Amino acid sequence: MTRLPTMNHANEMEDQLVLRARRFLAEHVTPRLEAGEKPWYDAALSQAAAAAGILGISVPTEFGGSGASFSCKVRVVEALAEADFGLSMALINSHNTAENIARNARPAVARRFVPEIVAGRMAGCTSLTEPGAGSDFAAITTRATRVEGGWRLDGEKAWIINAIRTGVAVCYAQTETGSGAAGIASFVVDASRAGFVRGGPITSALPALGTGSYRLDAYLASDDELLAPAGQAFKRALTSINGARIYVGAMCSGMVAESIRVAAEYGRARKTFGEPLAGHQSWRFALADASVDLEAARLLIYDAAKRLDAGEDVQGPAARAKIFATTMAHRHVGAMLHCMGAAGFADRYPFLRHLESVQAAAFTDGSTEMLKERIARGFR
Ligand SMILES: Cc1cc2nc3c(=O)[nH]c(=O)nc-3n(C[C@H](O)[C@H](O)[C@H](O)COP(=O)(O)OP(=O)(O)OC[C@H]3O[C@@H](n4cnc5c(N)ncnc54)[C@H](O)[C@@H]3O)c2cc1C
């Protein structure tokens, strides 16, 4: 079938990265998912993703990455999420940990972790959320206390993608109780060091995601492992969350595109009342509606990504893109499942997995309400 159109991108290296991501899916992931297996994540898959360049997309070239644009990252994760949102998120969270450490950590610290992640030998995670603080990030209570030569970290993080497998975490902690956003600093935390206590998985949903928790019990971080000091860390976190909002929107587009593709293919083969489903106009209208919203979402997403690449403040565009993309995905993944009849529930099709994923997408990197709040501030 004809694929829905995507943007024209001039950069050949970036086009190649998107193609390599699609090849990675075709060779390592899609056949098993289409045979009804649950999504998974293991060392072999991580290294195959690394070989396809997925773990180094925007990581600087001196650390083995490709130094590609943010827009390229958006296109890659959109393609990956067609197969599985959890896998796409797990890989990009490792990638982002590497990119952040490569750009902001001391060189010796960066050399320790970044090449390992880019080669797929180590996973990375970014940890803001705690059992007592989600949307209200400034309310975190993980404590960073100054000690000789560094910092002592104590506290608990929850709902962290890759936490069950991570080798390194970017961890946000409060340096001065009661000081809110201004007191938050970030640290590079080595998961193999004493004081890092890993929790088990929190949910059986989205199995490739590896969502879990960890505790820091008198964990000692050296001065060199301070990634962003108080006064800068909160602002930097919000900047990178704006990027995440854009690519989570792109993942929703990927899931809708795949849902339309699968439903359209099924509709040509399955007959009712002597005609293929696709012969019934009111059946086709559901696909037409979905394709209209999908293209609108892509325009918002690609525009926000382009603005981010140009160095613009993307708070508004990122929030609008994510709200629109998650909302339209909620509606249309369900509608495409409906078009399949009972077959939509079969394990070999992605609909149930995508529905679960869209629900998670509406929380990660800012819930819909928080994003609306941000936009609504302009109307006070
Ligand atoms: C699958 C998954 C993966 C995740 N991965 C990570 C990760 O890698 N790293 C990380 O740090 N975090 C991660 N998170 C956590 C995520 O960022 C939080 O779920 C999110 O910030 C919301 O926080 P909360 O779940 O504690 O909800 P709460 O903040 O408790 O909010 C509960 C509900 O109330 C609404 N609400 C809250 N405040 C208001 C308000 N002022 N007005 C109106 N409505 C409001 C929210 O929109 C939400 O619907 C992940 C979450 C999920 C589900």
Side-chain angles (χ1 to χ4, degrees):
M1 91 160 238
T2 322
R3 291 200 84 84
L4 292 159
T6 53
M7 279 189 98
N8 263 339
H9 293 265
N11 188 321
E12 207 175 301
M13 179 273 280
E14 299 196 347
D15 286 347
Q16 280 302 320
L17 277 171
V18 181
L19 284 175
R20 287 167 67 193
R22 287 201 178 279
R23 216 172 295 135
F24 156 77
L25 288 179
E27 286 171 11
H28 299 279
V29 181
T30 317
R32 284 175 60 176
L33 294 181
E34 286 179 353
E37 278 187 49
K38 282 197 182 313
W40 78 103
Y41 184 106
D42 58 18
L45 195 65
S46 167
Q47 283 172 32
I54 294 166
L55 290 164
I57 306 166
S58 307
V59 174
T61 48
E62 62 265 36
F63 288 100
S66 298
S69 68
F70 178 77
S71 295
C72 177
K73 177 155 94 176
V74 163
R75 293 167 66 209
V76 169
V77 299
E78 182 180 11
L80 294 175
E82 286 181 19
D84 187 54
F85 170 85
L87 177 62
S88 185
M89 275 297 245
L91 291 171
I92 214 60
N93 270 268
S94 277
H95 167 282
N96 293 344
T97 309
E99 186 182 354
N100 187 356
I101 294 175
R103 293 192 191 283
N104 299 309
R106 296 286 175 90
V109 175
R111 278 195 298 272
R112 228 163 67 221
F113 297 108
V114 178
E116 289 299 296
I117 297 178
V118 171
R121 291 187 294 266
M122 181 186 279
C125 70
T126 300
S127 11
L128 295 81
T129 306
E130 300 180 354
S135 304
D136 187 7
F137 168 41
I140 60 169
T141 58
T142 293
R143 183 92 177 102
T145 313
R146 205 74 178 94
V147 292
E148 206 185 321
W151 299 82
R152 173 188 156 143
L153 305 179
D154 295 277
E156 187 176 351
K157 295 290 174 183
W159 292 105
I160 309 302
I161 292 168
N162 284 335
I164 65 165
R165 59 177 77 103
T166 204
V168 61
V170 169
C171 177
Y172 290 81
Q174 180 55 259
T175 60
E176 205 182 324
T177 307
S179 66
I184 292 175
S186 65
F187 298 86
V188 176
V189 165
D190 183 337
S192 67
R193 193 175 297 170
F196 183 98
V197 185
R198 201 185 305 269
I202 302 178
T203 172
S204 57
L206 305 170
L209 204 55
T211 316
S213 61
Y214 67 84
R215 228 178 50 242
L216 297 173
D217 271 344
Y219 178 96
L220 293 177
S222 70
D223 276 330
D224 279 357
E225 290 163 344
L226 174 70
L227 191 62
Q232 286 181 28
F234 188 84
K235 209 168 151 223
R236 276 200 221 161
L238 292 192
T239 303
S240 61
I241 286 174
N242 282 325
R245 289 171 182 167
I246 300 170
Y247 68 64
V248 169
M251 291 181 194
C252 289
S253 295
M255 290 187 276
V256 171
E258 180 64 2
S259 300
I260 296 173
R261 188 191 69 75
V262 173
E265 197 173 291
Y266 185 78
R268 287 190 201 98
R270 170 86 174 173
K271 286 192 172 164
T272 61
F273 304 97
E275 258 203 90
L277 287 172
H280 303 297
Q281 189 186 57
S282 63
W283 188 92
R284 291 198 307 272
F285 275 4
L287 279 71
D289 282 346
S291 74
V292 171
D293 280 350
L294 172 60
E295 287 312 298
R298 281 174 166 163
L299 289 176
L300 286 173
I301 290 157
Y302 294 148
D303 175 67
K306 213 161 75 183
R307 287 171 187 273
L308 191 151
D309 276 327
E312 289 181 33
D313 174 1
V314 294
Q315 271 189 58
R320 284 189 286 273
K322 183 170 184 263
I323 290 171
F324 189 82
T326 50
T327 310
M328 73 96 197
H330 240 136
R331 180 173 161 219
H332 294 302
V333 172
M336 294 304 97
L337 186 159
H338 188 78
C339 282
M340 303 276 298
F345 283 86
D347 287 340
R348 68 180 185 282
Y349 293 128
F351 300 99
L352 290 179
R353 194 167 74 242
H354 284 353
L355 274 180
E356 200 168 68
S357 301
V358 169
Q359 189 66 51
F363 284 121
T364 51
D365 301 297
S367 71
T368 307
E369 289 74 21
M370 293 299 101
L371 301 181
K372 279 191 189 166
E373 181 58 35
R374 180 149 301 282
I375 295 167
R377 261 180 232 163
F379 299 113
R380 255 193 203 145

